[in-house]
């Protein structure tokens, strides 16, 4: 029997949120902290002790024994080191303590986390710094309760070593520049611009006992072998299908845990591939949304095990069925509640909306390569451009209505004037734009969906920090350029009109409303000069071009050193991942597949001899044996080749880029070659002998 849940009763009970802060802090301290959070002002450090003490009392009252600075190093997952709330005992008695210093700053050994060369130049020491804009929370599990303090992580000399720091910096950058535009349009009330993000998370759930029998899933998160099952996703019977009870129980426990953590888990459904599902929370400030997405992924993995399940967050766990992505819905809004990507009801608002829209179009076109780099993981290389996910080419879907408006502006009069108190932007009156006025386009990597953009490329396993901080920065950059121009304009309306028109004309090549999965589009995109970056290794260099360095330095989001370190970390991450995959393949091929195939060949040979000895026709057995043997031979050759290139790769000297290229061009290719005869053998060998669960079992056994 299920346990009844009342969402309002449990929502956020494990969070030191606004209500808790108000309750537990002296009023002046609460107000100071609020100012820091809302306006980004520096916290008066004399208040830290008071806040820390209140936080500790709240946590201890709830049963917490430990606290941890929770941070997001460049591994893509989160890190934590737990400390008990314990002061040096006096007279043998323990005293629970948590000081302001401990709240604000922590020390961690930066040398054990990826630093991409920053470590060689600087000391190993690293610091974690409290991010008071994302609330502290309690995490409960079977072992107890711990107070989690979201923090940023940097090196001894202040270089960002994490995913949070550039995100926070980029949010400030886009807020500053967007405010300049708003002021030009006469807005005097807004004080700050918020960035919102809502990340739809796709994932697979499979039986844990079967999972444990697959070394490839355990070591690499994806299947490296596996023949297609008789049934794939061709019947479209899984998408939005009724949710099986075991899965529903998992979802329920997940929701309850997330709600307690203040994560507004809202939508859940079965996805396209068998065993694939999705969870979407309600959008939030993009810093909190990023933290929450990490909590969602971590909770999914942990809670799956309570239900005898394993959660796979890899972008392509199974060849031949859809993989998983993460749709990052993104918008900008004022602190007094106006969504800047809402087309609005009046022409005046429309003009402002069109300025923001054009800025996004220009930003995405100019920096498409950097945006593409934020979606680059080894897993996503299997997904982008393979008829299930957006192509590797970045384009923007606007919908008929907006394209029509831009067309009018493009061909309309170049003058603009105020008429009857209404602003004309090249067209007499802009239509009252409504949300969902146009159809959707599921094949577009970057689609306008009514009052937000949906960036559909990000990888299911990755942090959404990258996509968000790049989007924030590129939009900040164009808004800066626009504001510089408009602030000096003699005739503001004419300048706005010209700016929208000229920008649209210069960047409309990025707009594409057709089928993004088609071959024709890839050719058309090439004619338009849009980059088509098909793999992670080719995607990384965009981070460190002079253009990129200037962009991120201009807005103080990342400096040259930090960008170089990120590129290094990415090359290394690619190399290490492919190396692990290759070694896992070698292990499975040598110790599981080859012995099974040889054993079965022996059995067939015995049958063949037995049948022949009776004088009966043994031609079928002969043919079968021959086919098995040919595949074993081919398999054996491919295995030897993979062993050789992997060994070569391990001995390679040279830059991390050149090593990544070698892994992509030789090791990865050798892996693909080995898989072919292995999957053919799976179809020939007796299933009782086959050494691990097949796709059919993994995908349909719940
Ligand atoms: P769909 O699958 O139809 O695209 P979902 O409901 O699954 O839509 O997810 C849409 C996501 O977009 C949700 O996380 C939602 O909260 C988020 N979202 C809605 N409005 C905004 C907005 N203005 N800014 C950012 N995200 C938004
Ligand atoms: Mg969805």
């Amino acid at each position: 029997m299920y346990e009844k849940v009342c969402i309002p009763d449990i929502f956020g009970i494990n969070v030191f949120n606004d209500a808790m802060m108000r309750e537990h802090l002296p009023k002046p301290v609460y107000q100071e902290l609020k100012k820091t959070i809302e306006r980004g002002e520096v916290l008066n450090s004399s208040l830290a002790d008071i806040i820390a003490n209140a936080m500790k009392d709240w946590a201890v009252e709830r049963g917490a024994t430990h606290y941890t600075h929770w941070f997001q190093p460049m591994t893509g997952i989160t890190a934590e080191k737990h400390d008990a709330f314990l002061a040096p005992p006096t007279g043998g008695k323990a005293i629970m303590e948590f000081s302001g210093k401990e709240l604000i700053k922590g020390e961690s050994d930066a040398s054990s986390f990826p630093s991409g060369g920053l470590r060689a130049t600087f000391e190993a020491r690293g610091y974690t710094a409290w991010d008071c804009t994302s609330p502290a929370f309690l995490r409960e599990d079977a072992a107890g309760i711990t107070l989690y303090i979201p923090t940023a992580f940097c090196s001894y000399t202040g270089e960002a070593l994490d995913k949070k720091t550039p995100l926070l910096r980029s949010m400030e950058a886009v807020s500053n520049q967007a405010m300049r535009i708003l002021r030009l349009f006469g807005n005097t009330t807004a004080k700050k611009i918020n960035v919102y993000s809502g990340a739809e998370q796709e994932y697979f759930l499979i039986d844990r006992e079967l999972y444990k029998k697959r070394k490839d899933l355990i070591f690499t998160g994806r299947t490296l072998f596996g023949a297609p099952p008789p049934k794939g996703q061709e019947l479209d019977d899984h998408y939005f299908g009724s949710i099986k009870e075991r899965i529903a129980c998992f979802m329920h426990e997940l929701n309850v845990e997330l709600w307690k953590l203040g994560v507004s888990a809202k939508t859940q459904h079965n996805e396209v591939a068998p065993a694939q599902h999705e969870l979407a929370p309600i959008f939030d400030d993009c810093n909190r949304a990023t933290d929450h997405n990490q909590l969602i992924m971590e909770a999914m993995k942990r809670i799956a095990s309570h239900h005898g399940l394993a959660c796979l967050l890899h972008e392509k766990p199974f060849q031949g069925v859809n993989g998983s992505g993460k749709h990052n819905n993104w918008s900008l809004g004022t602190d007094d509640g106006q969504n800047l990507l809402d087309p609005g009801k009046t022409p005046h608002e429309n003009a402002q909306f069109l300025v923001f829209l054009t800025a996004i179009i220009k930003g995405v076109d100019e920096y498409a390569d950097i945006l593409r780099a934020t979606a680059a993981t080894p897993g996503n290389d299997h997904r982008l451009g393979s008829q299930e996910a957006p192509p590797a080419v970045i384009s923007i879907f606007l919908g008929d209505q907006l394209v029509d408006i831009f067309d009018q502006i493009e061909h309309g009069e170049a003058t603009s004037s105020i008429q009857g108190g209404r602003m004309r932007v090249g067209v007499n009156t802009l239509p009252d734009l409504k949300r969902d006025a146009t159809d959707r386009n599921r094949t577009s990597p970057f689609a306008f969906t009514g009052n937000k953009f949906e960036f559909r490329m990000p990888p299911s396993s990755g942090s959404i920090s990258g996509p968000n901080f790049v989007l924030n920065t590129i939009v900040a950059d164009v808004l800066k350029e626009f504001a510089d121009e408009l602030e000096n304009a003699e005739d503001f309306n004419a300048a706005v009109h010209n700016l929208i028109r000229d920008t649209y004309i210069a960047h409309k090549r990025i707009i594409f409303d057709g089928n993004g999965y088609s071959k024709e589009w890839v050719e058309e995109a090439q004619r338009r000069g849009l980059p088509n970056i098909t793999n992670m290794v080719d995607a990384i260099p965009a981070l460190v071009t002079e253009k990129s360095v200037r962009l991120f330095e201009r807005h103080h989001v990342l400096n040259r050193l930090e960008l170089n370190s990120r590129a290094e970390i990415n090359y290394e991450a690619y190399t290490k991942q492919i190396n692990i995959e290759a070694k896992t393949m070698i292990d499975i091929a040598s110790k599981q597949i080859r012995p099974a195939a040889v054993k079965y060949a022996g059995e067939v040979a015995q049958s063949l001899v037995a049948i022949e000895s009776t004088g009966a026709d043994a031609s079928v057995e002969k043919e079968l044996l021959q086919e098995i043997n040919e595949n074993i031979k081919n398999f054996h050759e491919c295995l030897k080749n993979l062993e050789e290139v992997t060994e070569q790769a391990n001995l390679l000297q040279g830059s991390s880029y050149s090593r990544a290229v070698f892994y992509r061009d030789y090791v990865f290719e050798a892996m693909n070659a080995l898989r072919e005869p292995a999957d053919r053998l799976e179809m020939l060998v007796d299933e009782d002998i086959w050494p691990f669960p097949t796709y059919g079992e993994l995908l349909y056994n719940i």
Side-chain angles (χ1 to χ4, degrees):
M1 189 52 194
Y2 61 90
E3 165 209 357
K4 278 208 179 108
V5 170
C6 173
I7 301 179
D9 286 353
I10 59 167
F11 193 82
I13 57 167
N14 284 348
V15 187
F16 197 63
N17 54 20
D18 191 58
M20 289 298 152
M21 288 196 278
R22 201 193 316 237
E23 195 183 313
H24 285 81
L25 293 172
K27 206 165 175 196
V29 179
Y30 167 75
Q31 280 164 346
E32 277 296 309
L33 182 58
K34 256 321 247 186
K35 261 200 267 172
T36 304
I37 294 171
E38 280 169 7
R39 302 196 202 145
E41 290 172 10
V42 180
L43 183 74
N44 182 342
S45 62
S46 65
L47 304 180
D49 275 330
I50 304 172
I51 300 169
N53 203 43
M55 233 186 229
K56 179 211 70 190
D57 287 347
W58 169 77
V60 168
E61 208 176 281
R62 302 285 312 278
T65 52
H66 288 72
Y67 70 90
T68 179
H69 273 201
W70 183 62
F71 57 104
Q72 299 170 19
M74 296 303 295
T75 51
I77 52 173
T78 58
E80 55 199 36
K81 179 187 90 185
H82 297 198
D83 275 295
F85 289 115
L86 196 59
T90 43
K93 275 193 86 150
I95 299 167
M96 301 284 260
E97 193 185 73
F98 183 46
S99 69
K101 219 176 111 216
E102 288 168 314
L103 166 65
I104 289 184
K105 193 171 127 190
E107 217 188 295
S108 161
D109 179 7
S111 64
S112 304
F113 294 100
S115 76
L118 283 177
R119 202 172 60 228
T121 345
F122 301 98
E123 285 199 40
R125 217 190 278 264
Y127 294 112
T128 49
W130 179 34
D131 165 24
C132 64
T133 61
S134 183
F137 56 91
L138 296 175
R139 238 204 61 192
E140 306 174 85
D141 59 23
I145 301 179
T146 301
L147 172 68
Y148 277 63
I149 299 154
T151 60
F153 179 46
C154 65
S155 74
Y156 183 59
T157 38
E159 275 81 18
L161 290 175
D162 70 343
K163 307 234 167 193
K164 187 186 269 286
T165 308
L167 183 65
L168 292 172
R169 292 174 181 164
S170 73
M171 288 162 69
E172 206 173 308
V174 74
S175 174
N176 291 342
Q177 302 306 331
M179 281 303 300
R180 292 174 65 196
I181 301 286
L182 277 194
R183 294 284 185 255
L184 286 168
F185 277 95
N187 183 322
T188 52
T189 51
K191 295 194 179 63
K192 197 182 128 193
I193 303 299
N194 296 320
V195 187
Y196 295 109
S197 162
E200 304 163 47
Q201 176 72 49
E202 292 180 337
Y203 61 98
F204 280 82
L205 286 176
I206 60 168
D207 188 273
R208 194 165 193 85
E209 288 310 311
L210 299 176
Y211 165 86
K212 285 198 222 151
K213 292 183 180 149
R214 298 270 325 203
K215 291 194 231 183
D216 46 5
L217 287 176
I218 292 172
F219 293 131
T220 74
R222 74 178 180 106
T223 53
L224 299 168
F225 296 103
K231 176 176 185 268
Q233 61 195 45
E234 60 274 52
L235 296 180
D236 295 327
D237 54 351
H238 194 256
Y239 189 59
F240 283 15
S242 82
I243 300 172
K244 294 207 171 105
E245 197 164 23
R246 186 164 163 207
I247 303 296
C249 288
F250 157 84
M251 289 177 170
H252 175 76
E253 189 184 340
L254 178 65
N255 286 336
V256 169
E257 167 143 346
L258 292 174
W259 290 332
K260 286 183 182 174
L261 288 167
V263 179
S264 50
K266 181 166 169 71
T267 308
Q268 61 196 25
H269 59 80
N270 286 351
E271 258 299 332
V272 171
Q276 192 186 28
H277 312 277
E278 179 181 303
L279 179 140
I282 297 174
F283 67 98
D284 200 347
D285 151 274
C286 89
N287 178 36
R288 280 195 300 270
T290 304
D291 286 356
H292 283 177
N293 184 249
Q294 296 292 341
L295 287 177
I296 289 172
M297 291 194 287
E298 189 273 330
M300 280 177 167
K301 292 199 147 181
R302 189 162 37 80
I303 290 169
S305 68
H306 300 173
H307 300 266
L309 298 166
C311 172
L312 309 178
L313 292 173
H314 193 280
E315 290 73 25
K316 192 75 177 176
F318 304 100
Q319 188 171 284
V321 298
N322 269 30
S324 298
K326 184 140 52 193
H327 295 176
N328 187 56
N329 294 272
W330 179 93
S331 68
L332 297 172
T334 61
D335 58 348
D336 50 10
Q338 186 193 1
N339 179 348
L340 299 178
L341 298 190
D342 190 334
K345 289 206 165 31
T346 63
H348 175 83
E349 283 173 1
N350 287 357
Q352 180 189 298
F353 161 73
L354 287 172
V355 167
F356 281 104
L357 189 63
T358 344
I360 295 168
I361 293 170
K362 176 171 178 170
V364 172
D365 185 31
E366 260 183 20
Y367 298 109
D369 56 342
I370 305 181
L371 206 51
R372 168 67 183 85
T374 69
T377 60
N380 234 6
D381 281 1
H382 298 277
R383 197 179 149 255
L384 297 178
S386 61
Q387 308 298 307
E388 56 166 70
V393 182
I394 294 201
S395 63
I396 299 178
F397 170 83
L398 288 180
D400 301 341
Q401 194 183 26
L402 290 178
V403 168
D404 178 57
I405 287 172
F406 277 121
D407 281 346
Q408 289 181 55
I409 294 174
E410 183 178 351
H411 301 111
E413 285 181 54
T415 54
S416 89
S417 57
I418 303 274
Q419 286 188 349
R422 306 188 119 192
M423 186 158 108
R424 272 182 36 197
V425 190
V427 282
N428 278 333
T429 39
L430 290 168
D432 177 7
L433 299 176
K434 292 205 184 70
R435 289 182 193 184
D436 299 337
T438 38
D439 197 9
R440 289 190 172 233
N441 181 330
R442 287 269 168 209
T443 66
S444 174
F446 199 84
F448 185 69
T449 47
N451 63 353
K452 60 181 161 68
F453 273 98
E454 185 172 348
F455 182 32
R456 303 208 178 102
M457 271 186 172
S460 52
S461 67
S463 162
I464 53 168
S465 156
N468 279 311
F469 89 67
V470 169
L471 261 173
N472 297 347
T473 313
I474 63 184
V475 172
D477 196 59
V478 184
L479 291 175
K480 175 180 184 305
E481 200 186 300
F482 282 10
D484 288 347
E485 192 173 325
L486 294 176
E487 279 168 1
N488 293 315
E490 281 177 14
D491 179 344
F492 178 67
N493 294 335
V496 166
H497 175 274
N498 293 342
L499 183 70
I500 294 173
R501 185 199 55 206
D502 296 347
T503 311
Y504 177 71
I505 293 172
H507 296 283
K508 67 178 185 182
R509 63 171 191 164
I510 192 94
I511 290 161
F512 176 66
D513 288 7
N515 178 8
Y517 292 177
S518 69
K519 209 172 86 247
E520 290 75 26
W521 165 235
V522 175
E523 288 158 11
E524 164 71 16
Q526 194 179 8
R527 276 195 294 278
R528 295 189 189 188
L530 301 176
N532 181 8
I533 303 165
T534 58
N535 62 85
M536 178 170 177
V537 183
D538 286 343
I540 302 167
L543 294 175
V544 287
T545 58
E546 278 309 306
K547 191 168 126 187
S548 169
V549 173
R550 279 199 301 274
L551 166 76
F552 288 110
E553 289 200 337
R554 200 154 46 235
H555 298 280
H556 310 289
V557 173
L558 288 172
N559 62 32
R560 185 184 296 273
L561 223 60
E562 290 168 328
L563 285 162
N564 283 337
S565 95
R566 266 151 223 262
E568 281 297 300
I569 289 168
N570 276 322
Y571 289 130
E572 280 171 23
Y574 182 87
T575 300
K576 285 176 187 165
Q577 181 62 28
I578 304 296
N579 194 46
I580 293 170
E581 290 185 359
K583 288 198 303 192
T584 306
M585 261 192 137
I586 292 168
D587 186 284
I588 295 173
S590 332
K591 300 203 304 224
Q592 293 186 290
I593 298 180
R594 193 170 46 195
V598 169
K599 182 171 175 210
Y600 184 60
E603 285 182 13
V604 176
Q606 271 179 9
S607 307
L608 172 67
V609 172
I611 293 167
E612 268 181 341
S613 73
T614 66
D617 174 14
S619 58
V620 172
E621 289 70 20
K622 212 172 202 161
E623 198 182 310
L624 178 60
L625 184 62
Q626 198 178 358
E627 200 179 340
I628 295 168
N629 266 336
E630 272 165 21
N631 275 299
I632 292 178
K633 188 161 186 293
N634 186 4
F635 175 81
H636 184 71
E637 293 300 321
C638 290
L639 175 57
K640 277 202 301 202
N641 181 43
L642 179 61
E643 283 170 335
E644 259 166 48
V645 290
T646 308
E647 207 176 302
Q648 273 175 28
N650 276 287
L651 296 172
L652 271 184
Q653 302 291 321
S655 69
S656 49
Y657 169 74
S658 63
R659 275 183 290 138
V661 167
F662 187 91
Y663 269 93
R664 181 195 62 194
D665 292 347
Y666 296 97
V667 181
F668 186 68
E669 285 310 310
M671 285 164 55
N672 291 337
L674 175 61
R675 180 166 182 156
E676 272 180 44
D679 291 356
R680 275 199 300 275
L681 281 170
E682 186 191 318
M683 296 306 288
L684 293 169
V685 171
D686 182 346
E687 65 182 0
D688 292 336
I689 293 178
W690 197 250
F692 43 76
T694 61
Y695 270 28
E697 290 168 89
L698 292 170
L699 290 168
Y700 294 97
N701 206 329
I702 302 241

